[in-house]
Amino acid sequence: MRSIVTAMPLEAILTVAAALFCIGLFGALSRRNIIGILMGVELMLNAVNINLIAFWRYLEPTNTSGLIFAIIAITVAAAEAAVGLAMVIAVYRTRLTINADEVDTLRG
Amino acid sequence: MRAMWEFFFGVGWLATLTSYLTITTAILVAGSLVMMLLTWIERRGLGYMQDRKGPNRVGPFGLFQPIAEAIKTITKEDITPTDADRWVHFLAPVVILASTVAAFAVIPWGNLIPVDINVGVLYIVAVSAVHTVGILMAGWASNNKFALLGGMRGVAQAISYEIPQVLSLVSIVMLVGSMSVVDVIQNQMDPYGNILSWHIFTPVGLLSFIVFWIASLAEGERPPFDNPEAESELVAGYMTEYGGMKFAVLFLANYLTNFAICAVTAGVFLGGGNGPGSDIPILGTLLSVFYFLAKSLGLFFVMVWIRGVVPRLRIDELMHFAWKFLLPLALVNIFSTSLWIAIIRWGAEQGMGIAEALGAPGSIARIAVAWVVTAIINVVAFFLVARLNATRGVTTYQATPTAV
Amino acid sequence: MDFIIGLIFWGLSALILFSGLMVVIVKNIIHAALWLIASFAGIAAFYFLLEAPYIGVVQILVYTGAISILMLFAIMLTRQVTGEGTQQLFKRWWVAALVAFGLFAVVIVPTIWFPRLPVAERGQPTYWPQSDRAAASATPAAAPAAQQEPQPEAETPQIAGAFEIGRSFMAEYLLPFEVSSLLLLVALIGAVVIAYEERTRRRRILTLAEEAELRRSVAGLGMERPLQASAQLPPGKSEAGTAERR
């Protein structure tokens, strides 16, 4: 049975994941909007997950550790998104802005 | 199917590709035909429930009415509002229809199985969750307050009811031990055509069926949960700004969702295409497709029936119903499912030495005890939750001047 | 077949990377969120291609169906300041671009030029036979890959799926499972506590005139100062607040 393992070298997948990670990094660093920053972080987490699954598939397809790591990463990403967006809404309520460079006072 | 095309082409990947394309085309064509039939059933059935005739002029018994309406809708002008976000407005029906059709990839039509992936049940739920994105896109891009309200309502409702839906499927997955839809149907197969082997005829399966069916009605925006498109409040909800072919696509997606719900319910709880004679080589396939369609259309008739009888819920009642009634029931059901499995299948090495007194795993005595125990738990839980909800006054409504 | 798989792979990669790029450069934040959804869907298809259907389905369920919806909701709740008029990138965004590009270069050069991974030789079909696993785990990871014969026709041995995931979650990974469930619970409660607003303090929806007034005041103040907005006042007092600002 042919599969991706016979069709593609592992480096191709790693390249795609690295490119996605860097795009996410650029988004996280350059966006003013906090939600835009969160989007960049989500892209980075997804790139990491692609790497995890690719390594699992190419190196240890019979073992479950790669899959479990990916699932736990998804769980953490979900928790991060929920809390992060709740904080965005709380910030918006007190400051009426969600641009990261305008939220610069420590006073609530 | 693949073998047939391999005979023609001789090339492996071309045969695979062609067989997949054939299956996809067959599903799409059959889906559209079934959708036409469903609209006819709905309108005629609703007509008789309301003491009128329904459409009966075009063709025999009005059967060609959907075709006439399709022609009418297609020839209408395609309008995009001036202030709408053009691309998103255009893409929303595409997303909704695509997510709906994708669910059909794993739904078996009797013995005809398009694809059997080992996470089929979860796949159906996940793919139909994508259509909330389409709803939100449609609501936002229309740049219309009714559309946005309808879209927001639709998404809130779909996300809330997804949870009891998945949790009710968890107990069936526990019973079967697999998430493949084919395995779930095989588990209800009985060599003697005994319908008592269907999941719905166990206490666990019955409660799971009730929760799943109600949650699915809300997922498919069927009355009494059709708040996202409530005509009397929101014009047509997120569909307000759609006309012509785009509206036709939304309408098609709506009915395909309903059919998918009926098909999944028939497969998971009512044995799919199982029935007398469905395991005969060739005739059995036809019979199983017939049984499958009969069960699905019967369930769709129940949907129409509910629409004719039950008035629409208010939006806060709807949310309370999901979180305070369905969710606890689904959790209780998971508990009693594990009891069921423990009593029937486990032996001394899993720590169920007590059950050994009743006989070997799977014996009649054990099944009887499991039946009684889970039935008592489920019935008590049902009435307890219903009573708590009634006395806590969750349905009281205070007019608050504030909004979000 | 390999050709088809390669085609699918590059198509999916192009989809993921292009929509990822659109997420970070597009001006309208809602469009950015929609491109993000497209990227998530492409990644889910990628997991299916990598024969991890369970992860793919979870990706669709969690990312495409839940997280992106959360983001869209958050954007719509903060809609007044995220319109197309505002500047979306920092002024020195090119520094970020430089950092990201530099990181990409630093990561990718060793990956492409010095592959030390024990998969197989470059250009060869890679394969990790079941029988060689014990031998390879004894040797260091940087060992030459010559001993692993490429066996493209052999049946891949029993890829771990949903069943094995469930097994190992209940056995050797029980503690991470419980910890992540605790994390989810904490996140649930935390999100409710942070975003909860008492009903008496809840902000009234602004009328169109008030919203225009607010925008004008934002433009007048400049974007530097955090706004102490009048819209914060309870419903009854908002008239007074508007008057004050005038």
Side-chain angles (χ1 to χ4, degrees):
Chain A
M1 186 65 190
R2 294 270 168 164
S3 71
I4 179 112
V5 181
T6 63
M8 277 286 141
L10 176 56
E11 288 85 23
I13 303 177
L14 296 189
T15 310
V16 172
L20 190 67
F21 186 89
C22 293
I23 290 172
L25 182 67
F26 172 69
L29 290 180
S30 67
R31 281 266 183 197
R32 286 178 78 214
N33 194 324
I34 300 181
I35 298 176
I37 294 174
L38 274 176
M39 286 180 196
V41 173
E42 293 295 338
L43 278 184
M44 287 156 75
L45 282 167
N46 268 286
V48 172
N49 260 356
I50 291 179
N51 260 8
L52 286 173
I53 298 293
F55 279 124
W56 162 79
R57 181 67 188 85
Y58 278 77
L59 303 182
E60 289 279 346
T62 54
N63 204 333
T64 53
S65 46
L67 293 171
I68 298 239
F69 206 147
I71 292 173
I72 290 180
I74 290 177
T75 314
V76 172
E80 172 252 328
V83 177
L85 292 170
M87 282 169 65
V88 168
I89 291 173
V91 165
Y92 175 73
R93 201 175 288 143
T94 53
R95 309 292 171 97
L96 219 65
T97 178
I98 54 165
N99 286 338
D101 51 348
E102 291 164 14
V103 188
D104 53 359
T105 51
L106 287 176
R107 221 152 21 91
Chain B
M1 186 59 90
R2 186 165 184 276
M4 186 179 98
W5 290 111
E6 219 158 51
F7 175 75
F8 283 122
F9 292 116
V11 192
W13 63 267
L14 202 58
T16 311
L17 192 67
T18 322
S19 62
Y20 279 144
L21 285 180
T22 320
I23 293 170
T24 316
T25 316
I27 289 175
L28 285 176
V29 171
S32 318
L33 290 179
V34 165
M35 173 258 177
M36 288 183 172
L37 187 62
L38 292 190
T39 53
W40 181 80
I41 292 176
E42 171 139 29
R43 298 178 67 179
R44 292 287 290 194
L46 213 55
Y48 276 103
M49 281 173 207
Q50 293 166 351
D51 207 9
R52 58 192 170 86
K53 288 246 181 238
N56 62 352
R57 291 285 162 227
V58 193
F61 308 107
L63 261 175
F64 296 153
Q65 182 74 25
I67 298 174
E69 297 204 338
I71 292 170
K72 183 196 79 173
T73 335
I74 289 168
T75 51
K76 273 190 174 175
E77 189 190 352
D78 182 31
I79 298 172
T80 311
T82 323
D83 283 341
D85 193 327
R86 290 190 159 272
W87 276 102
V88 182
H89 188 265
F90 167 72
L91 278 177
V94 180
V95 170
I96 293 177
L97 184 64
S99 69
T100 308
V101 171
F104 279 93
V106 295
I107 296 175
W109 290 58
N111 293 350
L112 302 175
I113 302 157
V115 188
D116 179 24
I117 62 175
N118 61 358
V119 287
V121 174
L122 195 61
Y123 171 85
I124 293 171
V125 177
V127 163
S128 46
V130 174
H131 104 151
T132 56
V133 175
I135 291 176
L136 204 52
M137 281 164 75
W140 178 76
S142 300
N143 209 351
N144 174 326
K145 63 182 169 193
F146 296 121
L148 187 58
L149 275 175
M152 288 281 199
R153 277 189 183 187
V155 170
Q157 168 178 331
I159 286 184
S160 304
Y161 276 86
E162 211 169 82
I163 296 164
Q165 196 185 17
V166 174
L167 285 179
S168 64
L169 282 176
V170 164
S171 34
I172 297 298
V173 169
M174 281 166 72
L175 275 185
V176 180
S178 162
M179 279 197 280
S180 157
V181 183
V182 178
D183 286 350
V184 171
I185 292 174
Q186 281 292 324
N187 192 47
Q188 306 169 62
M189 191 77 100
D190 191 289
Y192 311 109
N194 180 6
I195 65 165
L196 285 180
S197 60
W198 294 355
H199 282 146
I200 194 175
F201 292 116
T202 57
V204 171
L206 182 63
L207 190 58
S208 179
F209 169 78
I210 293 170
V211 174
F212 181 81
W213 179 248
I214 296 175
S216 298
L217 285 182
E219 283 277 302
E221 289 158 17
R222 288 292 304 182
F225 303 109
D226 61 341
N227 293 53
E229 48 202 89
E231 299 92 353
S232 50
E233 306 165 21
L234 295 178
V235 192
Y238 57 89
M239 297 197 241
T240 305
E241 296 287 355
Y242 283 92
M245 200 56 210
K246 288 180 197 155
F247 178 76
V249 166
L250 283 175
F251 201 66
L252 173 67
N254 213 332
Y255 275 90
L256 279 182
T257 312
N258 295 340
F259 181 64
I261 290 165
C262 295
V264 171
T265 316
V268 172
F269 296 101
L270 300 180
N274 294 349
S278 65
D279 43 0
I280 308 169
I282 292 179
L283 182 68
T285 308
L286 287 178
L287 270 177
S288 69
V289 173
F290 170 74
Y291 290 139
F292 165 77
L293 279 178
K295 288 171 188 173
S296 308
L297 294 182
L299 282 172
F300 184 75
F301 182 74
V302 176
M303 274 188 173
V304 176
W305 196 0
I306 293 174
R307 176 176 180 170
V309 172
V310 186
R312 183 185 306 133
L313 268 72
R314 213 170 49 219
I315 187 81
D316 58 331
E317 291 173 343
L318 186 111
M319 288 295 164
H320 286 310
F321 192 64
W323 290 101
K324 297 186 181 172
F325 187 74
L326 292 183
L327 188 60
L329 279 187
L331 290 174
V332 167
N333 198 32
I334 290 177
F335 175 69
S336 56
T337 311
S338 42
L339 268 186
W340 170 276
I341 290 171
I343 293 176
I344 291 185
R345 294 183 204 157
W346 283 9
E349 68 266 28
Q350 283 102 345
M352 283 295 291
I354 313 161
E356 293 284 339
L358 294 168
S363 66
I364 300 289
R366 278 190 171 208
I367 292 177
V369 170
W371 241 92
V372 172
V373 170
T374 52
I376 289 173
I377 290 178
N378 282 357
V379 168
V380 166
F382 185 90
F383 284 106
L384 193 67
V385 173
R387 202 183 144 75
L388 278 179
N389 273 335
T391 52
R392 287 286 171 81
V394 286
T395 53
T396 53
Y397 177 67
Q398 295 169 314
T400 44
T402 54
V404 176
Chain C
M1 200 67 181
D2 278 359
F3 173 70
I4 295 283
I5 291 177
L7 214 62
I8 296 172
F9 173 81
W10 289 117
L12 280 180
S13 308
L15 168 71
I16 293 170
L17 292 183
F18 178 71
S19 44
L21 205 60
M22 293 307 274
V23 170
V24 297
I25 62 174
V26 86
K27 251 190 131 105
N28 188 335
I29 191 86
I30 288 212
H31 287 181
L34 295 177
W35 280 113
L36 188 72
I37 294 170
S39 191
F40 285 161
I43 291 168
F46 217 93
Y47 292 152
F48 274 97
L49 191 64
L50 284 167
E51 290 169 87
Y54 182 74
I55 307 285
V57 169
V58 167
Q59 169 89 8
I60 295 176
L61 193 64
V62 174
Y63 276 106
T64 320
I67 290 185
S68 51
I69 292 283
L70 263 182
M71 293 210 158
L72 283 173
F73 258 94
I75 292 170
M76 287 175 186
L77 289 176
T78 57
R79 198 157 45 110
Q80 284 145 339
V81 290
T82 53
E84 297 204 34
T86 52
Q87 184 198 359
Q88 287 295 341
L89 299 181
F90 284 119
K91 280 182 197 124
R92 284 193 285 277
W93 59 268
W94 51 270
V95 178
L98 217 62
V99 168
F101 196 77
L103 182 70
F104 181 68
V106 166
V107 168
I108 214 60
V109 166
T111 313
I112 299 287
W113 283 356
F114 316 107
R116 288 275 187 276
L117 298 164
V119 265
E121 298 195 35
R122 276 180 51 74
Q124 296 290 326
T126 54
Y127 181 63
W128 187 258
Q130 169 84 357
S131 51
D132 286 1
R133 265 183 60 212
S137 60
T139 59
Q147 58 177 356
Q148 288 142 29
E149 298 288 321
Q151 304 174 1
E153 293 307 319
E155 191 69 29
T156 316
Q158 198 64 49
I159 300 172
F163 188 78
E164 285 81 10
I165 293 175
R167 267 283 150 78
S168 47
F169 258 142
M170 284 298 127
E172 64 254 45
Y173 298 106
L174 187 60
L175 187 65
F177 182 67
E178 296 293 338
V179 169
S180 59
S181 65
L182 196 68
L183 173 75
L184 277 182
L185 181 68
V186 169
L188 179 74
I189 296 173
V192 171
V193 167
I194 292 172
Y196 185 74
E197 195 174 26
E198 280 173 45
R199 189 160 280 194
T200 50
R201 294 191 54 197
R202 197 170 281 181
R203 195 162 54 79
R204 193 169 58 87
I205 286 184
L206 301 180
T207 63
L208 278 178
E210 281 167 342
E211 203 178 312
E213 173 75 14
L214 189 70
R215 276 174 201 278
R216 229 175 299 139
S217 75
V218 167
L221 284 171
M223 296 305 282
E224 281 77 32
R225 273 178 53 197
L227 290 162
Q228 299 299 329
S230 64
Q232 187 59 33
L233 296 171
K237 294 187 184 168
S238 73
E239 296 297 328
T242 327
E244 256 175 39
R245 262 191 288 136
R246 284 184 189 128

